[in-house]
Amino acid sequence: KGKCPEDGWDESTIELFLHELAIMDSNNFLGNCGVGEREGRVASGLVARRHYRLIHGIGRSGDISAVQPKAAGSSLLNKLTNSVVLDIIKLAGVRTVTNCFVVPMATGMSLTLCFLTLRHKRPKAKYIIWPRIDQKSCFKSMITAGFEPVVIENVLEGDELRTDIEAVEAKIKTLGAENILCVHSTTSCFAPRVPDRLEELAVICANYDIPHIVNNAYGVQSSKCMHLIQQGARVGRIDAFVQSLDKNFMVPVGGAIIAGFNESFVQEISKMYPGRASASPSLDVLITLLSLGASGYKQLLKERKEMFSYLSSELKKLADNHNERLLDTPHNPISLAMSLKNLDENNDVAVTQLGSMLFTRQVSGARVVPCGSVQTVNNYTFKGFMSHANDYPCAYLNAASAIGIKKQDVDVFLKRLDKCLKTSRKEAKKEKSVNEICNTDTEQLED
């Protein structure tokens, strides 16, 4: 049926299935005589076993989705993976998606592939409208494709940074719709930035006949992000949305899914990929989804949402204990932010030191964002880099509830953060006292 099985398979069944696919590839035929330059020969048995002897990769030189005659098993693996992943995307909330394919590149390069495909449809266009998100790979994806990003600064609403819809439309009118390749929006992001107003952006794109590409990096795991994509496609225009394999399906880094609502456009993107491709990302995600089953993946989504609520309530308690506050970002369903005003006021360096302290105590993924940092990316200077705004009101710390997170992860993080905050405040007070004594001594000497 080409769908993810409701109940997961055991490992021996999955291995048997993969071995059956592998014996369909010509390099595994007993009497095979290969005289070409690419015959699936592998020098190391360890490497062959690691890939279940599926050596040919996927696609042909002109199309990553094409069937390779001498690699029937690998081609079947590719078709099945794309079909199973499409089923999961529908299950996660984007019901009307029509086509998708796994590409052996991470999210940034996959976005670049989408932009390069649009180049042939809009040869005069040189600009991409991009509501600002301080993440280097999505910015570089536009530069690498040869386009000029037009950065739209976010607007502050309470604690949240939201899409400036009026600025987007004004910029389209100024530049001219025919000169704009697409609008490049974002769903999953670090608080206090929240997902873009996808419905409003999709309507604008439909009205001005401008393509719309969505960076949905880790949004598959969020019903809210997927709902935004579904609604955007319903009321307006979304041409493609791109999501990471590792962030959403807990597999090694190196793959992404490009999906869309127009089957022919998604096929165009797949044909833009030059040459064949590694089957590893497809193999990893297929094994994972066969192992989990649809019910197992739905359970992971449910647990993630529960852990988000738990992390939010516990982080709020911790913030209150340290005279800080959990920033109010109800539109962000994955990431949370806690203010660091006390540290920032006492010592400019204390904020970044907190990040170092957490990392050395084996807390990974938490981001500490100071005020006023400046970063230049491909000759474009971002003020307040990492905070998604030129002048966010306070320094803060990020934590996210992503798929696979456990209660133990949350509890250990909060315990270590509590200790680090206490230590940081003590050191900041000590340094402040030393500075006050030094200043007093200096004043006395001057007198």
Side-chain angles (χ1 to χ4, degrees):
K1 293 180 180 178
K3 292 186 176 182
C4 187
E6 183 60 28
D7 299 312
W9 296 0
D10 58 68
E11 287 186 7
S12 59
T13 303
I14 294 172
E15 287 191 333
L16 176 63
F17 172 63
L18 294 175
H19 286 309
E20 285 189 3
L21 291 180
I23 60 174
M24 297 180 194
D25 283 5
S26 62
N27 59 292
N28 296 315
F29 293 172
L30 288 175
N32 187 56
C33 173
V35 292
E37 83 290 352
R38 190 184 58 80
E39 296 296 341
R41 302 184 183 101
V42 175
S44 166
L46 183 63
V47 171
R49 290 193 299 276
R50 176 175 176 260
H51 295 274
Y52 291 93
R53 301 188 181 277
L54 292 157
I55 311 302
H56 278 285
I58 57 176
R60 304 190 74 176
S61 58
D63 184 354
I64 194 176
S65 296
V67 172
Q68 169 58 254
K70 64 180 174 184
S74 295
S75 298
L76 183 55
L77 169 83
N78 188 30
K79 295 287 183 186
L80 280 172
T81 302
N82 291 342
S83 183
V84 168
V85 166
L86 185 68
D87 184 45
I88 290 294
I89 289 175
K90 289 179 179 178
L91 177 151
V94 184
R95 304 286 179 190
T96 58
V97 62
T98 60
N99 199 7
C100 77
F101 68 99
V102 171
V103 59
M105 305 185 294
T107 310
M109 284 301 293
S110 298
L111 286 166
T112 296
L113 191 64
C114 294
F115 301 143
L116 290 172
T117 306
L118 286 175
R119 182 193 291 277
H120 296 278
K121 289 177 168 290
R122 301 175 72 84
K124 292 181 181 178
K126 64 175 184 175
Y127 302 108
I128 296 178
I129 302 289
W130 183 63
R132 175 177 169 177
I133 174 167
D134 291 354
Q135 207 271 341
K136 289 182 183 178
S137 65
C138 51
F139 185 76
K140 288 183 174 181
S141 69
M142 300 178 282
I143 301 290
T144 302
F147 295 97
E148 184 178 326
V150 178
V151 182
I152 305 296
E153 292 293 337
N154 301 302
V155 290
L156 187 64
E157 296 182 8
D159 289 332
E160 292 185 325
L161 289 164
R162 307 208 67 189
T163 320
D164 190 339
I165 294 295
E166 291 180 1
V168 169
E169 190 160 14
K171 188 58 72 171
I172 289 171
K173 289 176 180 177
T174 302
L175 296 174
E178 70 282 359
N179 297 314
I180 297 168
L181 183 83
C182 66
V183 171
H184 176 194
S185 62
T186 305
T187 54
S188 52
C189 54
F190 294 119
R193 195 196 192 279
V194 300
D196 279 320
R197 300 180 191 268
L198 246 61
E199 291 179 55
E200 292 94 325
L201 288 174
V203 168
I204 288 173
C205 288
N207 290 342
Y208 288 91
D209 193 26
I210 296 173
H212 185 187
I213 305 294
V214 181
N215 174 9
N216 189 44
Y218 48 97
V220 178
Q221 62 192 278
S222 163
S223 57
K224 185 176 281 188
C225 289
M226 297 301 267
H227 175 71
L228 285 172
I229 293 171
Q230 178 63 62
Q231 285 298 100
R234 186 181 67 81
V235 301
R237 176 173 181 173
I238 291 179
D239 294 71
F241 56 103
V242 180
Q243 37 274 306
S244 165
L245 284 183
D246 62 287
K247 298 182 187 78
N248 294 294
F249 299 101
M250 294 186 289
V251 295
V253 171
I257 303 160
I258 298 176
F261 303 92
N262 183 317
E263 195 164 346
S264 63
F265 178 61
V266 177
Q267 286 175 353
E268 280 183 55
I269 300 172
S270 72
K271 289 175 181 176
M272 183 61 62
Y273 188 96
R276 299 166 186 87
S278 168
S280 285
S282 296
L283 185 60
D284 289 339
V285 76
L286 182 61
I287 290 171
T288 300
L289 291 175
L290 290 178
S291 175
L292 288 169
S295 60
Y297 191 69
K298 281 187 277 190
Q299 181 61 27
L300 284 173
L301 298 182
K302 179 174 175 285
E303 289 172 3
R304 187 211 70 79
K305 198 174 283 189
E306 290 169 353
M307 281 299 102
F308 179 79
S309 297
Y310 180 66
L311 174 62
S312 178
S313 62
E314 295 302 305
L315 192 57
K316 186 179 187 307
K317 291 176 190 174
L318 180 67
D320 291 342
N321 290 339
H322 287 274
N323 198 27
E324 297 287 358
R325 66 187 188 89
L326 183 69
L327 300 182
D328 186 22
T329 56
H331 290 96
N332 194 317
I334 299 173
S335 177
L336 295 161
M338 184 187 91
S339 71
L340 295 173
K341 277 193 171 181
N342 291 309
L343 282 184
D344 189 33
E345 286 170 6
N346 289 327
N347 188 341
D348 293 338
V349 183
V351 175
T352 50
Q353 282 181 338
L354 176 64
S356 301
M357 289 170 71
L358 287 168
F359 186 75
T360 55
R361 285 157 181 78
Q362 295 182 309
V363 175
S364 61
R367 295 165 76 250
V368 172
V369 181
C371 291
S373 60
V374 177
Q375 179 90 40
T376 300
V377 184
N378 292 92
N379 297 320
Y380 188 95
T381 300
F382 292 91
K383 295 177 182 176
F385 188 73
M386 286 174 62
S387 65
H388 320 288
N390 289 331
D391 299 294
Y392 194 74
C394 68
Y396 59 86
L397 174 140
N398 277 130
S401 174
I403 192 166
I405 191 171
K406 302 294 182 189
K407 184 175 181 292
Q408 182 187 358
D409 296 321
V410 176
D411 291 338
V412 171
F413 162 64
L414 292 167
K415 186 177 179 182
R416 292 177 184 173
L417 175 59
D418 185 39
K419 285 185 177 179
C420 289
L421 284 169
K422 287 174 180 175
T423 304
S424 294
R425 289 178 72 178
K426 282 179 184 176
E427 289 180 358
K429 285 179 181 177
K430 192 186 296 182
E431 189 168 331
K432 186 178 181 182
S433 298
V434 170
N435 289 337
E436 285 174 355
I437 292 167
C438 290
N439 290 336
T440 303
D441 290 344
T442 303
E443 288 170 5
Q444 288 174 350
L445 283 168
E446 285 173 353
D447 289 344

